[in-house]
Amino acid sequence: MGTLKIAVQKSGRLSEKSLQLLSDCGIRLSNGERRLKAVSPNFPVEILFLRDDDIPQYVEEGVADAGILGQNEVWEKNKDVTEVKPLGFAGCRLSLAVPKDALYTGPDFFNNRKVATSYPVILQKYFDENNINAQIETISGSVEIAPAIGLADGIFDIVSTGSTLQINGLKEVEQVIKSEAVLIANKTLTPEKQEILDKLLFRIQSVRNAAENKYILLNAPNESVAEISRILPGMKSPTVLPLAEEGWSSIHSVIREDTFWDIIDKLKALGAEGILVTNVEKMIL
C-alpha cells in the first residue's frame, strides 16, 4: 500500500491540535523533532510540516495529498482543492473592527474608508456582496495597530476572545464568517490514496463521535425504566440490568454532552440515583 501525505501547520495551537487528533486516531509518528516531516510506523501516512498559508497550494499541486488547516486559509488562498471535513477545533471568527470611539452605523461605515487585513480575498468578497466601496490595505501582521498609526480606519482579522481588540482600542462591529480546522484533499487522488483517506476519515469520525457523547449509567426504580429509556435512547436502546435490590435496575446509555444538563432534572424526578457520566474514548456507529 502507498502512503498518504498530509500537510499540517508546523507550529502553533492548530498544529498541536492536529497532531493530537492523529494520535487520538491511533496514528503514531516516528519523528519527535518535526523539522520537516514525520512518518507513521502503524498507519500509511507521512506528515509534512508547512506554513499554514502554503498548505492549500501544496495540496492543489499534489505535493501533499491532504492537509489540516483553518478554513480561513482555505478560503483566502482559493485553491482548487476539496474541503473534505470540518474537524471541530480551532474555532474562530473573522470580523471587522473599528476604533472604540468611532460612530459605527452599519457596514456602510466602510464606504470610502481604508481597512487593513491579512485576508483581502475574503474581505473583498464581503464588500462586493454588500456593495461597499472600500480600500483594502493588505498587511501580513500586527493588523490591530493599523488604525492607531493612521494606516486604516478599521481592520478585518481573526477574533477568538476579543481581548486583543480591546487592548488595541478597537471594537468588533461585524462578524463576517466563522472558521474552524478542516481537512482538505487533492482533487485527483489515486484510488489507493483515496482508500487510505477514507480509513482516516472513519477514525476521525469515531473520535468526533466520542468527543460529542458521554457514557451514562444510573440506578432507577423499575416503574421508571420505560420513561428513562425514552429520554436516554442511546445508539439503539439503553442497556437495562437488574440490580440485587428487588424493584431496581441499572440503566446504561450514551448521551450527547450538550444535552445532558438539560435532562438531568428529568432523570432525578423519575427517581434516578447514582448517576455516573464518563468519557467515551472511541465510538463506532
Side-chain angles (χ1 to χ4, degrees):
M1 181 178 285
T3 300
L4 187 76
K5 295 182 180 180
I6 304 175
V8 303
Q9 188 173 326
K10 62 182 179 180
S11 62
R13 188 169 67 91
L14 194 148
S15 175
E16 298 303 322
K17 294 266 190 181
S18 301
L19 295 175
Q20 183 60 54
L21 174 63
L22 295 173
S23 176
D24 292 342
C25 289
I27 298 172
R28 300 198 308 271
L29 298 175
S30 62
N31 185 350
E33 293 298 318
R34 306 206 315 263
R35 298 298 182 191
L36 179 61
K37 66 179 182 179
V39 297
S40 172
N42 68 332
F43 194 79
V45 297
E46 180 179 294
I47 307 302
L48 307 178
F49 296 98
L50 305 170
R51 283 173 49 97
D52 59 344
D53 53 357
D54 289 335
I55 292 176
Q57 179 178 346
Y58 281 121
V59 172
E60 180 188 55
E61 295 177 354
V63 176
D65 303 306
I68 299 175
L69 72 165
Q71 288 172 312
N72 52 295
E73 291 295 345
V74 179
W75 299 330
E76 178 63 27
K77 298 307 177 184
N78 198 26
K79 298 296 183 181
D80 190 24
V81 298
T82 300
E83 196 168 323
V84 180
K85 185 177 184 62
L87 299 175
F89 61 86
C92 64
R93 59 191 183 273
L94 275 76
S95 297
L96 285 157
V98 299
K100 285 182 179 178
D101 58 358
L103 180 60
Y104 184 76
T105 55
D108 287 344
F109 171 90
F110 295 102
N111 268 316
N112 303 312
R113 297 182 189 263
K114 293 182 180 180
V115 182
T117 186
S118 299
Y119 299 95
V121 173
I122 297 173
L123 181 56
Q124 188 63 62
K125 181 181 179 182
Y126 172 79
F127 282 158
D128 290 344
E129 290 172 349
N130 289 274
N131 298 313
I132 295 170
N133 181 26
Q135 181 179 336
I136 297 176
E137 295 286 344
T138 303
I139 56 179
S140 58
S142 301
V143 175
E144 297 87 357
I145 68 170
I149 62 176
L151 179 64
D153 302 297
I155 70 165
F156 175 67
D157 202 15
I158 290 176
V159 178
S160 294
T161 64
S163 59
T164 303
L165 295 179
Q166 293 179 7
I167 291 171
N168 287 276
L170 301 172
K171 60 184 178 182
E172 183 179 3
V173 292
E174 297 289 339
Q175 178 180 296
V176 175
I177 56 170
K178 289 185 177 180
S179 171
E180 64 180 284
V182 66
L183 177 68
I184 63 172
N186 181 273
K187 286 191 170 182
T188 58
L189 291 181
T190 64
E192 188 177 41
K193 290 188 175 184
Q194 184 63 52
E195 181 181 356
I196 298 171
L197 180 61
D198 289 342
K199 289 180 179 179
L200 175 61
L201 287 170
F202 176 79
R203 294 192 183 195
I204 289 174
Q205 189 57 52
S206 297
V207 170
R208 290 287 307 277
N209 290 340
E212 294 169 358
N213 290 273
K214 297 291 184 181
Y215 187 78
I216 182 171
L217 57 96
L218 54 88
N219 298 329
N222 287 344
E223 61 267 22
S224 297
V225 167
E227 182 60 17
I228 290 176
S229 296
R230 186 187 66 79
I231 295 173
L232 298 173
M235 288 180 283
K236 286 190 179 295
S237 65
T239 299
V240 180
L241 301 171
L243 292 180
E245 182 175 344
E246 189 173 347
W248 283 76
S249 294
S250 176
I251 301 175
H252 301 233
S253 189
V254 173
I255 184 173
R256 286 189 60 86
E257 184 175 23
D258 57 6
T259 64
F260 172 74
W261 292 109
D262 294 334
I263 66 170
I264 186 66
D265 290 335
K266 294 179 182 178
L267 296 175
K268 292 171 65 177
L270 290 167
E273 297 179 358
I275 302 172
L276 299 178
V277 182
T278 63
N279 292 328
V280 178
E281 185 174 336
K282 302 290 186 297
M283 186 171 171
I284 314 299
L285 298 178

